[in-house]
Amino acid sequence: MALLVGPARAQLGQETFEIGLSTEQIGITSDFTGARLVVFGALDNADGRILREQRYDIVVALVGPRRPVVVREKERKLGIWINRGSESFEAPPSSYALASTRPLADIMSEANRVNLSIGIADLRLGGGGEPAADDDAQTVVANRDEYATALRRIRENNGLYNQRFGAVQFVSPTLFRADLQLPAGLPTGEHTVRAYLFRQGVFIRGSTETLTVVKTGFESFISGFALEHGILYGIAAVILAIFTGWFGRILFKRD
């Protein structure tokens, strides 16, 4: 029996898959209102029976640059809003977009969602490196306090965090595509596209690509000038403000 079980285990997880992006760079201009990113991929060495039963699932997530943030709770006292408390998060993703073949609860267990940091509710908001990658890994408790909930809610309301189930579709038995919705406030920097392959609820393997978001046009020139020549940019801003005020006074002067 040991000889029979050994080869059977060796055959598990032999599936491989690769992904590609419709574009490797997105330019942000003043009239940018959002975009759609298409992630396509191919599944190799798939089990024919599981393919026919449609028991392979794909989850694709676009994780924005991780930057520290402080969430503050405000309270109104005597007509004045004051800070009641705050909590710092080391490195939450500045944006997060997810697409999957089915609802996450139908694909994997809650422990797997936490370990892999998949889904808005289980998204890792601190630092500590990459998510774990198998069912046997030690469970990482996601941030679930009121401040973490508030951060997720604010970014969902701003469109920075979104997830769409059924947005990954197999266009053939082994080819799939995922549609990710990118918000108008998409942050610049390097974004990571992570794809996860599941077979009958078991995580098999992942694949990663990089998407770069940059400012283009006049906005890019102003941003670059401000970073490289901060003093000159400040002087120019002051001169422009003085000129605008003087010109406005002349223009609307009453005799």
Side-chain angles (χ1 to χ4, degrees):
M1 290 184 64
L3 293 176
L4 292 176
V5 172
R9 287 183 176 176
Q11 292 175 4
L12 292 178
Q14 294 302 313
E15 299 91 337
T16 60
F17 78 124
E18 299 293 334
I19 61 171
L21 311 181
S22 57
T23 179
E24 295 181 351
Q25 179 173 298
I26 293 179
I28 303 295
T29 59
S30 58
D31 59 349
F32 182 78
T33 58
R36 185 182 69 172
L37 177 68
V38 178
V39 181
F40 50 89
L43 176 62
D44 296 322
N45 300 323
D47 186 298
R49 178 183 60 83
I50 299 178
L51 276 175
R52 290 190 297 272
E53 295 176 354
Q54 298 181 344
R55 297 300 295 169
Y56 282 111
D57 285 292
I58 304 289
V59 178
V60 179
L62 176 65
V63 184
R66 290 183 176 271
R67 295 163 181 163
V69 67
V70 178
V71 177
R72 293 182 173 86
E73 180 184 6
K74 292 186 179 294
E75 183 179 17
R76 190 180 182 90
K77 286 189 176 181
L78 301 177
I80 301 175
W81 287 100
I82 61 174
N83 292 330
R84 181 181 178 184
S86 65
E87 182 172 339
S88 299
F89 294 91
E90 297 178 13
S94 51
S95 64
Y96 184 79
L98 179 141
S100 64
T101 49
R102 296 184 294 157
L104 298 180
D106 296 340
I107 296 176
M108 71 195 86
S109 64
E110 181 182 3
N112 228 344
R113 295 196 301 272
V114 172
N115 285 336
L116 295 171
S117 184
I118 294 179
I120 295 175
D122 298 296
L123 184 61
R124 187 173 301 177
L125 300 178
E130 296 301 321
D134 68 49
D135 286 330
D136 297 328
Q138 183 178 1
T139 299
V140 178
V141 178
N143 293 301
R144 296 184 183 276
D145 61 18
E146 57 182 348
Y147 291 97
T149 301
L151 176 60
R152 292 186 176 97
R153 183 183 67 251
I154 292 170
R155 293 192 167 176
E156 279 191 85
N157 292 339
N158 293 335
L160 293 174
Y161 286 4
N162 70 84
Q163 54 190 16
R164 300 168 62 221
F165 308 131
V168 179
Q169 297 180 342
F170 279 89
V171 296
S172 77
T174 58
L175 299 178
F176 63 88
R177 62 172 287 168
D179 292 319
L180 296 173
Q181 201 65 36
L182 310 184
L186 187 67
T188 58
E190 279 200 355
H191 297 240
T192 302
V193 179
R194 294 196 181 102
Y196 305 85
L197 172 64
F198 292 86
R199 181 187 59 202
Q200 296 179 315
V202 178
F203 174 70
I204 302 300
R205 65 185 74 252
S207 184
T208 303
E209 290 288 342
T210 300
L211 173 72
T212 304
V213 179
V214 297
K215 290 184 178 180
T216 59
F218 185 69
E219 294 81 4
S220 176
F221 170 77
I222 294 296
S223 177
F225 184 82
L227 289 175
E228 297 177 8
H229 309 283
I231 297 178
L232 293 178
Y233 177 80
I235 294 174
V238 172
I239 293 175
L240 179 61
I242 294 174
F243 173 79
T244 302
W246 171 81
F247 185 73
R249 182 185 177 193
I250 296 298
L251 187 63
F252 298 103
K253 183 178 180 180
R254 295 181 180 179
D255 296 329

